[in-house]
Amino acid sequence: MINVAEFRFVESLLQGAAPLKEESPGVRTWLGVGDDAAIFDGWVVTKDLSVENTHFRLDWSTPEQAVEKHIVSNVSDICSMGARPRIALLGLCLNRHWSEETRNRVRKALSDGFARRGITLIGGDTVSGEEGVFSTTLLGELAGEKALVRTAVKSNDNLYVNGTLGKSDAGLWILMNHPEDASKFPSLVEYHLAPRIHEKAGEELARLKAYGGCMDISDGLSSELNHLALSSGVNLEIDEKLLPIDPEVLRMSRYYGISPLNFALNGGEEYELLFANSLPESIFEGENELLGNVRKIGRAVKSDCEPKVFMHCLNGDKVPVIPRAWSHL
């Protein structure tokens, strides 16, 4: 028996969908598990979940913000591989306690969010349950001749990020500890609820032939640095004075009398890019509309044993950077 309500919901979701581009990827390559995305026969593939009351809360965010954050988390993985997103499969669990208005806003935000990016929805499934869940399988294609991967960092490569650090975790800290002050630091709260990133940054790195190591900062800089070091078999050394901590994070930290460094190192859901390569530093100087404001934060050095990450502190000490960021378990 056909569920008419579900049929109409899906039909409405697909209205205005981006047209399907009947074209195979130009670069036909393969890459297994271990990176931000896998690649099979040229298709760059990732999957991300957003679970209500774990990744988003509708007493904090609007339905539109929750959906946008979910889409960005998937696009970020494709971006970090030097690819552009093209096709999506959507799994959607609607909270049976949501109002009809909330359901319609979620539906419209998903439809508009994918279409606005030129991503074609080609299928999926909808159910209802006790909590809302967004699940997207996103397929993209490489923008250049090869992928940006975690294993490509070499000794003496420079280490970069393409945006400011600490924004999302600082916004979450405010919501959890001082929600009454959310209006005092709106950019931090808004970034946590619906991050805005340079979604074509990976494509721009490919255009520049910056084929070094790359990954997105989804689980926090300290974790991602260690992932990058272990994957590439090199030590990474960062400089505390070079870390581009967001100005609003600095202002908020002064206001509450707390350290901004923890937000910059251990805050998850940042979605900026962490990348390394040996190109001249001048290539990344100045503002690049697609790549963002790139900042050098350190370099890679040869490792004679198990790869590690170190930070040169403002006081002159050199300390290990321990992964202390977001855990999904």
Side-chain angles (χ1 to χ4, degrees):
M1 180 181 295
I2 296 176
N3 186 321
V4 176
E6 181 180 358
F7 176 80
R8 289 176 177 169
F9 184 92
V10 173
E11 185 180 52
S12 181
L13 177 63
L14 294 176
Q15 283 181 356
L20 180 63
K21 181 181 177 183
E22 297 182 5
E23 183 177 302
S24 298
V27 179
R28 311 305 287 268
T29 187
W30 297 76
L31 180 68
V33 68
D35 240 286
D36 281 0
I39 306 176
F40 65 89
D41 202 20
W43 289 107
V44 183
V45 186
T46 189
K47 181 179 185 62
D48 225 0
L49 291 163
S50 295
V51 180
E52 188 177 11
N53 299 320
T54 298
H55 299 96
F56 68 92
R57 287 175 47 172
L58 292 186
D59 57 337
W60 285 353
S61 64
T62 65
E64 292 79 10
Q65 288 173 321
V67 167
E68 183 67 8
K69 184 175 184 178
H70 171 70
I71 294 176
V72 165
S73 71
N74 281 274
V75 169
S76 177
D77 281 338
I78 298 294
C79 169
S80 70
M81 302 294 291
R84 62 178 69 91
R86 278 187 49 189
I87 294 171
L89 289 159
L90 176 65
L92 179 60
C93 179
L94 296 168
N95 186 325
R96 60 169 49 98
H97 305 293
W98 285 349
S99 67
E100 190 66 23
E101 178 193 7
T102 297
R103 291 186 177 208
N104 287 333
R105 289 172 67 180
V106 165
R107 172 194 52 74
K108 187 176 188 306
L110 286 165
S111 178
D112 292 350
F114 286 117
R116 186 172 68 250
R117 294 170 167 89
I119 299 170
T120 307
L121 277 172
I122 61 168
D125 192 22
T126 59
V127 297
S128 63
E130 293 302 309
E131 290 185 323
V133 179
F134 311 141
S135 174
T136 294
T137 300
L138 187 61
L139 289 78
E141 61 180 342
L142 294 177
E145 58 196 34
K146 57 183 178 179
L148 307 177
V149 293
R150 299 180 185 182
T151 57
V153 185
K154 303 180 298 298
S155 179
N156 296 318
D157 278 359
N158 289 319
L159 194 62
Y160 302 94
V161 294
N162 77 321
T164 56
L165 300 170
K167 303 180 292 297
S168 183
D169 196 40
L172 175 61
W173 189 92
I174 292 169
L175 289 169
M176 293 183 67
N177 295 280
H178 291 281
E180 72 280 2
D181 289 343
S183 61
K184 294 178 181 177
F185 305 97
S187 67
L188 301 180
V189 172
E190 289 168 10
Y191 191 91
H192 174 71
L193 298 179
R196 297 172 63 88
I197 65 171
H198 291 84
E199 297 184 7
K200 296 185 181 298
E203 295 180 52
E204 180 67 0
L205 287 176
R207 186 190 70 79
L208 295 170
K209 298 189 183 302
Y211 292 116
C214 186
M215 61 191 304
D216 73 342
I217 309 175
S218 55
D219 294 335
L221 183 63
S222 64
S223 283
E224 312 301 15
L225 285 166
N226 278 275
H227 289 158
L228 206 59
L230 288 169
S231 296
S232 292
V234 295
N235 285 351
L236 300 180
E237 295 187 359
I238 62 172
D239 196 326
E240 183 180 358
K241 70 175 181 291
L242 297 180
L243 294 179
I245 302 177
D246 190 84
E248 280 297 282
V249 174
L250 294 174
R251 184 173 76 89
M252 182 233 68
S253 297
R254 287 193 299 268
Y255 183 84
Y256 293 111
I258 55 180
S259 170
L261 188 59
N262 183 61
F263 295 122
L265 287 178
N266 302 322
E269 299 182 330
E270 199 78 67
Y271 301 121
E272 307 289 7
L273 294 187
L274 166 67
F275 63 96
N277 58 68
S278 57
L279 295 180
E281 292 181 48
S282 59
I283 289 179
F284 303 109
E285 290 177 354
E287 183 74 21
N288 180 309
E289 184 179 351
L290 298 179
L291 193 53
N293 193 358
V294 174
R295 312 287 184 87
K296 178 183 174 182
I297 63 169
R299 67 191 183 101
V301 298
K302 184 179 179 180
S303 173
D304 295 322
C305 52
E306 182 180 357
K308 297 186 184 326
V309 180
F310 299 94
M311 182 171 69
H312 295 272
C313 302
L314 295 176
N315 64 7
D317 291 343
K318 179 180 175 180
V319 300
V321 176
I322 308 300
R324 293 194 178 101
W326 176 265
S327 174
H328 296 280
L329 299 177

